[in-house]
Amino acid sequence: MNNRCINILNGDSAAGGFLQAFPDKRQDILVFRDVLSCGPLYPFNNLKQWQYERLTYWEQLSQENGSAIDVHTTKNSDFYGKFLTIKQPVQYQIWLGMGLSEQLLLSFVVFLFDRLNINLKYLTVVQFNGWQQQINKRPIVGVGQLHPSEILQHPKPLQLSQEQQSYAITAWQAFSSSHSQDYLQFMALKEQPLPLLHQAMSFIKLRYPDINHGLSVWDRLLLEKTQLYGPKATQILGHTMADETLVLDPVGDWYLYNRLINMAKDQLNQPLLIMKSPDMEMRKAEFELSEFGQLVLSNKTNVIKENGIDDWIGGVRQCSHQYWLRDGAQLVLSTS
């Protein structure tokens, strides 16, 4: 067997810290740049089609955000572009924090190995679990937040048991399913061989709109921070991402900025935000709450009743004729 070990890292920050810790491993890394918790997940047929669909989503997001960046330029330089070119068999090692994005990456990689008939004995996991040793202690959400010296002192790599492998595959199938019931059934499983994966996936429920005001937790936070720290978009986004409510669900400023823009669209019957600047560039954009946004934030009206809904949560398409709502700890189906 080839003794080469390929290290899978989630994002450029993680890859940069890893290479500072292990400078001789530059040829042995795969950088995963897709945030799997954001945007639509279509049924998986093959990796090439999957790559196209995911990069197309990020390219559309880029255009909606007023950017000329072509994310397809990454198609040959990251995990999607390189994985199928690697001569098998080799050993793989995936480096993970506790956040949703990293835990979903674990479940996706295990699912992918299974679909491509790659023996999972060739996969080991380096799982950081706990709190970063700094003045303001925070959970180790992602490897990218660690200092190279902390990466050097990594936990022992572990192989997944058969139960853990099956659990990871079930987790991916539940999140990428077009039926919310599959997610609910997964979360209700009594046996949790990968407790960090289960913990991270509990945050998916908060992406669903609240039954009273129709906002997801992320959207409500964006409105609250606009009221408190607006009008500059950079201030709104910075305070939103620093909020502890969704610390294990890092989505990044690009995704959140797009949600700000969507809540300010003139095409809505009742926009929640007013975009004060004609410039779409994030650093220059400014927003303020509309009167309707203030009513929604005060729980005096429901945004979906006024504007409908068009959103994705994993593989679930939320559209106005049928969507799921968060009612306390439960999800309930609503149909028009």
Side-chain angles (χ1 to χ4, degrees), residues 5-8 91-97 102-103 105-107 109-110 113 120-129 143 154-161 164-165 168 194 196:
C5 181
I6 304 295
N7 296 279
I8 302 172
Q91 191 68 36
Y92 292 89
Q93 194 154 273
I94 184 168
W95 297 69
L96 301 169
E102 311 236 331
Q103 293 299 308
L105 174 57
L106 172 62
S107 63
V109 168
V110 175
F113 272 50
L120 280 158
K121 73 178 183 181
Y122 297 133
L123 178 68
T124 54
V125 180
V126 178
Q127 177 65 69
F128 290 90
N129 178 11
V143 176
H154 62 81
K156 180 182 177 180
L158 299 173
Q159 273 199 319
L160 299 177
S161 67
Q164 290 172 325
Q165 294 171 17
L194 293 170
L196 290 181

Side-chain angles (χ1 to χ4, degrees), residues 11-35:
D12 290 306
S13 294
F18 177 86
L19 288 176
Q20 289 184 58
F22 303 102
D24 59 328
K25 302 292 186 182
R26 183 168 297 276
Q27 301 303 316
D28 296 322
I29 65 170
L30 280 178
V31 185
F32 196 85
R33 295 186 173 92
D34 188 4
V35 184

Side-chain angles (χ1 to χ4, degrees), residues 115-303:
R115 285 294 298 267
L116 298 180
N117 295 316
I118 301 174
N119 196 320
L120 280 158
K121 73 178 183 181
Y122 297 133
L123 178 68
T124 54
V125 180
V126 178
Q127 177 65 69
F128 290 90
N129 178 11
W131 301 81
Q132 196 171 10
Q133 299 302 310
Q134 294 180 344
I135 296 175
N136 297 317
K137 289 187 177 181
R138 291 173 64 86
I140 301 174
V141 178
V143 176
Q145 77 188 67
L146 295 174
H147 190 272
S149 62
E150 295 173 301
I151 296 176
L152 273 172
Q153 299 171 16
H154 62 81
K156 180 182 177 180
L158 299 173
Q159 273 199 319
L160 299 177
S161 67
Q162 288 286 344
E163 292 78 10
Q164 290 172 325
Q165 294 171 17
S166 297
Y167 187 80
I169 293 169
T170 302
W172 179 255
Q173 291 171 333
F175 181 58
S176 60
S177 170
S178 60
H179 304 289
S180 293
Q181 297 97 322
D182 293 333
Y183 166 70
L184 295 173
Q185 290 173 6
F186 171 80
M187 294 305 296
L189 292 174
K190 293 182 179 180
E191 297 295 326
Q192 299 167 12
L194 293 170
L196 290 181
L197 175 56
H198 184 272
Q199 174 185 249
M201 285 191 64
S202 69
F203 283 82
I204 292 168
K205 188 178 294 182
L206 302 182
R207 300 285 186 94
Y208 285 87
D210 183 88
I211 195 169
N212 295 308
H213 48 66
L215 295 170
S216 71
V217 174
W218 272 124
D219 289 344
R220 186 172 181 87
L221 281 173
L222 285 168
L223 293 184
E224 289 175 350
K225 304 308 181 186
T226 300
Q227 188 175 54
L228 291 172
Y229 302 108
K232 291 185 179 296
T234 51
Q235 291 291 317
I236 297 167
L237 295 170
H239 284 283
T240 300
M241 291 187 293
D243 193 280
E244 295 293 322
T245 306
L246 294 170
V247 66
L248 288 181
D249 183 16
V251 292
D253 56 358
W254 212 232
Y255 171 82
L256 293 176
Y257 181 54
N258 188 256
R259 298 194 77 85
L260 275 178
I261 290 173
N262 286 338
M263 288 192 285
K265 283 185 174 178
D266 292 335
Q267 296 93 322
L268 297 174
N269 293 330
Q270 294 279 7
L272 294 99
L273 295 169
I274 300 168
M275 193 169 188
K276 298 183 64 180
S277 56
D279 199 320
M280 293 282 288
E281 186 181 343
M282 188 188 299
R283 291 178 298 174
K284 299 177 181 178
E286 295 185 347
F287 296 86
E288 68 178 22
L289 277 178
S290 66
E291 290 185 10
F292 178 71
Q294 292 172 345
L295 290 174
V296 173
L297 201 52
S298 302
N299 293 335
K300 294 180 179 178
T301 189
N302 187 296
V303 63

